[in-house]
Every structure is written in C-alpha cells, then in structure tokens.
C-alpha cells in the first residue's frame, strides 16, 4: 500500500510540475493521454488493481480515483484558461474593430420618382400653385375632344391609347369610350369647368401609353401645369418655367424655348435645358460623344404653350378675355436626367440594389 501511495504522489508531483508547460490544446491532449489515456500512468495503476489482495482493493481504488479526479479537474481548468487566452489573442489580432457593424434591417425610403414628384410640387407651391388631382380613367371627351383633338387625331390611335370599355347612358342614348388617360391635360378641362379664373394649378399623376422601350414605359408620371387669368402672356410662361428649371437643376442651367405644336395650346413651345451630362459641351471629359443629348448639348424636358382659344370655348370661358398657359412635365425624364439613369424600366423593377441608392 505504501508503495502505491508513493507512486501516486510521484505521479501527482510530476503532473503538477509539467502543467505550466501546457500552452495549447495540443499540449493538453498529450498531457491528458500521458496520465489518463488508454496506456496512461493512472490508467495502468487502475489496471493492476485486480492483482492486489482483496483487502487492499477498496482503499487502493479510492486513492487512484482521487488522483484521477484531481487530474481531471486540473485538465478542465487548464482547458478553459486556454480558451479565454485564445479569445484574447483573436481580439488582439484577428478582429478589426473599425469595420462597420452588420446592418440587418434598413429603414424604407421614398422611391426616386416620388422624391422628384415631391420636389416639383414643392417648387410650384412656392410659386403660388395649388395641387389638384384627377382620375386615371377618363372619357374620350376629356382626354381628347375637349383638348381640341378631333376623332381623327393621330394621338388617339390604338397604338397609343389603352381603351378600357364603352360606357352607355341608356336614358340619354349615348355611349362613350373609357380609356386610361394618355396625359394629365384632361385635368385642365375638369379644373376650368369647376373653378373660376384666376387659376394656378399643378396636377401630378400617372398616365398610360402603349409604348415600351428604354426611355418609354406604358405607365409613367406627369405634372400638368395651368395658369389662367387676365393678361397672362408667353412672358409669364417663360418666367415661371425658367424659374422652375433653375430651382430643379441649378440656377446656372441654360434654358431654351423651341416652337412646337400641341392641339390644345397655341402658340406651343418645347422647353430644353442644357445637357446635364456633358454640360452642353456635346462631348464628355474623355472626348467621347455625349449619347444622352445625342451631341446636341440640349435635352427636351417640357411641353408647353398658351391655352388654345378653342379649349377656353369648350369650358365656357371667353377666349377674348381669358388668357393662360399650360405645360406638361415628364417626371421619369426629370429623374433620369437628375440621377443619370439611362433605362426607364429600372424605376419599375423594384430591385432593392437600385432603389437603395436614392
Ligand atoms: N399633354 C402634353 C403631352 O403629354 C404635354 C403638354 C401639356 C403640352 C400642356 C402643352 C401643354 O405630351
């Protein structure tokens, strides 16, 4: 028995002495194997337990197991010490605390078209215009006839217009075509029938045309403008639209008015701004041709004109007394120019990688 006690204390002393040199998980494995492994020193003692006289067995077994427990608890302690050390090490060298944290959810934001729409409204409200909304489903009369577009006008072509259905009024024995408005101009008629001049209105909203390519979408947005009152002139049209474009694109942006034609305005003008991509230079900084303005240095941005006397007649106003101007602005076009986007379809695909950039 004394022999066993001597062996046990020798093993214990040796284990305690070598423990400080255990510096890694690998070292610990070797340490554990040396004492408690299949052929380990303590295991060997347990194996020879069988050859002891029966009277000595219980006490010997108890002593050996006590040493085994002691060693196991030391191994456990060392293991957790090693783990926290390696974490400290990793924090010192392996973790870059200057990296931004991971964002798991982002707040929503306004669609770029909504942002531009709101900006346009803000500018015109600052100029004293009020905001009015119409209906996206219109009758042929409001969308075309009242705006001086007779039944054979090319803009009414099946190619351009989405027709919805025929409504019929049995009592009056009339039937009328319903369609998705192709522009916001029918709201001019509603406004002038409902309110007396002077008027200063803008009408934001969706419009529909049978058209689809990189610069045309079957649904897009316009802002219609209408200013009606005594003595309104083309000078007012130019002043208001120039001020709007300067606020929208910057005070230094050059603006030009070109003669044009719309059935509901006379005279009519298309409004261009200097190309925002090449700054009117027609070529880019690297000398390549500017494709956005097709090397003209200008980009068309608005349709406008003085309200046609026939339109005033259609709403019961006297064209000899009442004057006014109207304009129509394509919102997607403004957004494409302002954000430098070349494909209109990106606005409607709802790809978060695109929308997240605004
Ligand atoms: N309604 C025209 C269009 O959609 C734009 C316009 C509006 C032109 C008002 C002149 C006056 O093309």
């Amino acid at each position: 028995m004394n022999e066993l006690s001597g062996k046990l204390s020798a093993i214990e002393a040796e284990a305690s002495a070598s423990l400080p040199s255990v510096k890694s998980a690998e070292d610990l494995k070797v340490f554990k194997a040396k004492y408690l492994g299949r052929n380990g020193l303590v295991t060997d003692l347990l194996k020879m337990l069988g050859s002891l006289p029966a009277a000595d067995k219980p006490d010997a077994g108890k002593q050996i197991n006590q040493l085994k427990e002691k060693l196991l608890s030391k191994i456990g302690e060392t293991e957790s010490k090693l783990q926290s050390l390696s974490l400290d090490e990793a924090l010192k060298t392996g973790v870059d605390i200057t990296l931004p944290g991971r964002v798991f959810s982002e707040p929503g934001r306004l669609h770029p078209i909504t942002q531009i729409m709101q900006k346009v409204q803000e500018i015109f409200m600052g100029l004293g215009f009020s905001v009015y909304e119409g209906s996206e489903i219109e009758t042929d009369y409001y969308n075309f006839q009242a705006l001086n577009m007779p039944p054979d006008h090319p803009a009414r072509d099946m190619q351009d217009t989405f027709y919805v259905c025929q409504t019929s009024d049995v009592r009056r024995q009339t039937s009328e075509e319903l369609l998705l408005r192709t522009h916001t101009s029918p709201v001019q008629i509603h406004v002038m029938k409902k309110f007396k001049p002077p008027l200063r209105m803008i009408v934001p909203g969706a419009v529909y045309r049978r058209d689809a390519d990189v610069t045309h979408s079957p649904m897009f947005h316009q802002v219609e403008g209408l200013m009606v009152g005594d003595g309104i002139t083309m000078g007012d049209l130019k002043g208001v639209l120039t001020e709007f474009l300067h606020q929208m694109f910057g005070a230094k942006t050059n603006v030009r008015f070109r003669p044009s034609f719309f059935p509901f305005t006379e005279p009519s003008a298309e409004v261009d701004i200097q190309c925002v991509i090449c700054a009117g230079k027609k070529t880019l900084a690297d000398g390549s041709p500017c494709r956005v303005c097709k090397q003209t240095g200008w980009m068309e941005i608005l349709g406008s004109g003085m309200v046609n006397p026939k339109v005033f007649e259609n709403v019961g106003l006297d064209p000899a007394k009442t004057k006014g101007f109207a304009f129509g602005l394509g919102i997607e076009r403004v957004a494409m120019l302002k954000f430098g986007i070349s494909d209109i379809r990106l606005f409607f695909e709802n790809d978060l990688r695109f929308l997240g950039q605004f």
Side-chain angles (χ1 to χ4, degrees), residues 182-185 188 209 222 224-225 262 264-265 303-305 326-328:
T182 58
H183 52 180
T184 41
S185 299
Q188 286 187 33
R209 286 182 202 174
Q222 287 189 330
E224 190 81 9
F262 296 102
F264 35 91
T265 49
S304 69
F327 60 87

Side-chain angles (χ1 to χ4, degrees), residues 136-175:
E136 289 174 26
I137 293 182
E138 273 296 357
T139 59
D140 183 285
Y141 176 78
Y142 279 93
N143 196 79
F144 294 124
Q145 290 170 55
L147 289 161
N148 196 29
M149 275 188 264
D152 56 355
H153 196 278
R156 310 166 60 126
D157 198 292
M158 287 292 283
Q159 294 298 313
D160 298 329
T161 309
F162 288 107
Y163 287 91
V164 178
C165 62
Q166 200 102 18
T167 56
S168 36
D169 186 327
V170 181
R171 221 159 16 110
R172 287 193 214 135
Q173 293 204 316
T174 56
S175 85

Side-chain angles (χ1 to χ4, degrees), residues 252-255 272-277 279-281 297-299:
K252 293 208 176 82
T253 311
N254 282 328
V255 176
D272 299 341
I273 58 166
Q274 202 168 52
C275 178
V276 294
I277 305 296
K281 294 192 176 73
W298 295 94
M299 296 188 300

Side-chain angles (χ1 to χ4, degrees), residues 25-228:
E26 196 53 40
D27 290 349
L28 191 64
K29 220 164 135 190
V30 174
F31 180 90
K32 196 172 171 182
K34 181 172 175 191
Y35 298 98
L36 305 175
R38 225 170 350 130
N39 299 310
L41 297 172
V42 179
T43 320
D44 282 349
L45 289 179
L46 281 168
K47 279 187 208 154
M48 63 140 243
L49 210 56
S51 61
L52 288 183
D56 292 343
K57 272 184 196 169
D59 196 39
K62 200 172 150 197
Q63 286 190 47
I64 300 170
N65 274 322
Q66 271 173 358
L67 177 61
K68 188 176 168 183
E69 289 306 317
K70 266 191 207 162
L71 288 176
L72 276 174
S73 93
K74 285 211 160 114
I75 287 168
E77 269 169 40
T78 312
E79 192 168 26
S80 50
K81 220 187 283 169
L82 285 175
Q83 271 170 3
S84 71
L85 271 178
S86 71
L87 187 63
D88 284 349
E89 204 55 33
L91 285 171
K92 247 187 263 161
T93 58
V95 177
D96 180 355
I97 57 162
T98 64
L99 280 176
R102 278 183 213 167
V103 178
F104 292 109
S105 66
E106 275 186 77
R109 58 186 85 201
L110 293 176
H111 191 279
I113 295 299
T114 309
Q115 291 182 30
I116 296 288
M117 199 73 127
Q118 290 186 348
K119 178 85 185 148
V120 171
Q121 292 183 42
E122 217 176 87
I123 296 172
F124 278 107
M125 286 192 306
L127 295 171
F129 283 70
S130 41
V131 179
Y132 193 83
E133 275 181 54
S135 163
E136 289 174 26
I137 293 182
E138 273 296 357
T139 59
D140 183 285
Y141 176 78
Y142 279 93
N143 196 79
F144 294 124
Q145 290 170 55
L147 289 161
N148 196 29
M149 275 188 264
D152 56 355
H153 196 278
R156 310 166 60 126
D157 198 292
M158 287 292 283
Q159 294 298 313
D160 298 329
T161 309
F162 288 107
Y163 287 91
V164 178
C165 62
Q166 200 102 18
T167 56
S168 36
D169 186 327
V170 181
R171 221 159 16 110
R172 287 193 214 135
Q173 293 204 316
T174 56
S175 85
E176 210 167 14
E177 205 100 53
L178 283 187
L179 45 84
L180 294 178
R181 66 180 177 193
T182 58
H183 52 180
T184 41
S185 299
V187 190
Q188 286 187 33
I189 306 298
H190 289 289
V191 165
M192 287 192 282
K193 279 191 167 181
K194 202 165 169 190
F195 303 104
K196 294 234 157 334
L199 295 170
R200 253 187 299 187
M201 297 266 186
I202 55 163
V203 183
V207 301
Y208 301 84
R209 286 182 202 174
R210 293 183 49 154
D211 224 349
D213 59 43
V214 286
T215 54
H216 296 90
S217 157
M219 186 280 307
F220 61 102
H221 299 84
Q222 287 189 330
V223 172
E224 190 81 9
L226 179 69
M227 183 163 176
V228 177

Side-chain angles (χ1 to χ4, degrees), residues 296-341:
T296 60
W298 295 94
M299 296 188 300
E300 185 194 319
I301 190 106
L302 280 153
S304 69
M306 301 305 291
V307 177
N308 193 308
K310 289 216 177 102
V311 174
F312 281 140
E313 276 169 20
N314 289 340
V315 295
L317 290 170
D318 180 359
K321 287 198 208 128
T322 315
K323 303 286 170 213
F325 70 80
F327 60 87
L329 172 73
I331 293 298
E332 280 75 5
R333 206 183 165 80
V334 176
M336 286 169 86
L337 296 179
K338 238 185 128 58
F339 298 131
I341 291 155

